[in-house]
Amino acid sequence: MTFTVDDVAYLRSAAGRQALDEAGKLALSGARLVNDIAALRAAFGDRAAVLAETVQLRRRAAAKFADPSDWLFTDEALQQATAAPVAAHRAARLAGATVHDATCSIGGELVALRDSADHVVGSDLDPVRVAMAAGNVPDVEVCRADALRPITRDAVVILDPARRAGGRRRFDPRAYTPALDAVFDVYRDRDMVVKCAPGIDFAEIERMGFTGEIEVTSVGGGVREACLWSPALAGAGVRRRATVLDRGEQITDTEPDDCAVAPAGRWIVDPDGAVVRAGLVRHYAARHGLWQLDPDIAYLSGDRLPDGVRGFEVLEELGYHERRLRAALAARSAGAVEILVRGVNVDPDVLRTRLRLRGSKQLTVVITRLGSGSASRATAYICRPSR
């Protein structure tokens, strides 16, 4: 649904807060949804929709925010909101700076910046989001402004261009709001930080004139974003950085990348998605004494598992064929099987069903392509996961 500034004012009023407390006692999901909405209409009339939507959004926000119980959101703003650990990491890199979040939306980033930066202001073009941000983060100054018409001069500018329209993702950075090429043009002489989707074409960004650092960040096992740091804010000589927040590990393209290619050792390691997306697999391997199974595939191997990293102990290697794999797994009494695939056209979910395993052991199967051209072969490794 679409919120209005009047809706925000109501939800922040004493009456609105009391109504939200009442709405929060309802399930507002599944078989109860229709009856619960009817109950809200009976009690609060036309306000029922904004009450139900706010309660549902707050519940969803728990995956990104430490305590969203008093926050207001729109659906699209919540979808694009930065997860709290990622925002805190970025804010730490800007500790002591004066920062202007020029696309502050409902204020998610402002909370982390407020606790790290020397001074913070926020702005957004959407009046509803500005009103929400003003209530969500009342101790930060927020105003309405167009991100492409700068209202600050000496501050580091953070921008998070909208990558959705009508619920659909936009993949062309020139179709973002504001467009990325326009952002680069307006802020070419400013210190800036730009949040982007992790799948953005890095080569295209560089063709648009970006010359700073691209940081890819993961948390909770998933890649969350690519962040562009202008040259003055980048690490010395760094063009690519992978940050794995769960392990507190960062790796950059300034580190050695001398990495051998060799047959599998005791362990197979599937590097974190941030490492893979940032193109730093070889650098990661060199840091941890690992090697590649194939120069074009991200799977790594080694005789020792890096501390804190989940790996797969190789029990058996065989040329991949579904029938052979099924027999080998059955011989090991495999039941539940995790299937990892790179470089081979295999759907893990379909294969898992077709294997028809009846055993009791939990194993992992790593399927990958080794070699290229006519020498290419699909290989399967039956493994025992480290955890």
Side-chain angles (χ1 to χ4, degrees), residues 101-286:
D101 185 347
T103 52
C104 72
S105 186
I106 48 85
E109 197 92 5
L110 296 177
V111 175
L113 291 168
R114 175 195 62 194
D115 296 336
S116 293
D118 180 62
H119 184 70
V120 181
V121 295
S123 64
D124 200 282
L125 189 57
D126 186 328
V128 171
R129 296 191 185 189
V130 170
M132 288 183 172
N136 291 340
V137 197
D139 49 353
V140 173
E141 183 181 357
V142 179
C143 65
R144 188 182 181 200
D146 185 339
L148 295 181
R149 296 179 180 274
I151 60 171
T152 57
R153 286 185 298 177
D154 300 321
V156 175
V157 177
I158 291 183
L159 299 112
D160 185 8
R163 301 179 286 277
R164 292 177 180 270
R168 296 184 178 181
R169 292 183 183 274
R170 295 170 171 173
F171 296 97
D172 181 358
R174 293 177 177 82
Y176 288 179
T177 306
L180 207 53
D181 53 346
V183 167
F184 290 159
D185 183 56
V186 169
Y187 293 101
R188 71 163 63 90
D189 298 321
R190 295 280 298 273
D191 291 340
M192 67 174 178
V193 183
V194 184
K195 295 181 284 181
C196 300
I200 194 168
D201 185 340
F202 296 162
E204 180 64 20
I205 292 172
E206 291 172 346
R207 283 193 291 271
M208 292 165 65
F210 180 74
T211 59
E213 172 192 319
I214 301 175
E215 178 183 26
V216 183
T217 303
S218 71
V219 66
V223 179
R224 296 304 182 94
E225 67 175 33
C227 188
L228 314 182
W229 297 83
S230 59
L233 299 174
V238 175
R239 298 300 303 276
R240 296 283 191 280
R241 182 190 304 269
T243 298
V244 184
L245 292 179
D246 292 343
R247 296 202 303 273
E249 182 175 24
Q250 296 188 48
I251 187 165
T252 74
D253 58 352
T254 61
E255 299 181 35
D257 66 347
D258 46 329
C259 165
V261 177
R266 179 181 175 185
W267 296 96
I268 289 176
V269 173
D270 186 11
D272 185 90
V275 174
V276 177
R277 182 69 189 97
L280 300 175
V281 170
R282 291 178 58 85
H283 303 75
Y284 178 86

Side-chain angles (χ1 to χ4, degrees), residues 296 321 326 338 387:
D296 298 317
H321 187 281
R326 184 187 303 119
E338 174 186 20
R387 63 174 186 271

Side-chain angles (χ1 to χ4, degrees), residues 354-371:
R354 290 163 62 106
L355 289 174
R356 301 190 300 274
L357 300 173
R358 298 291 183 268
S360 58
K361 293 183 179 178
Q362 167 72 56
L363 295 176
T364 298
V365 176
V366 178
I367 305 173
T368 188
R369 176 191 55 74
L370 300 179

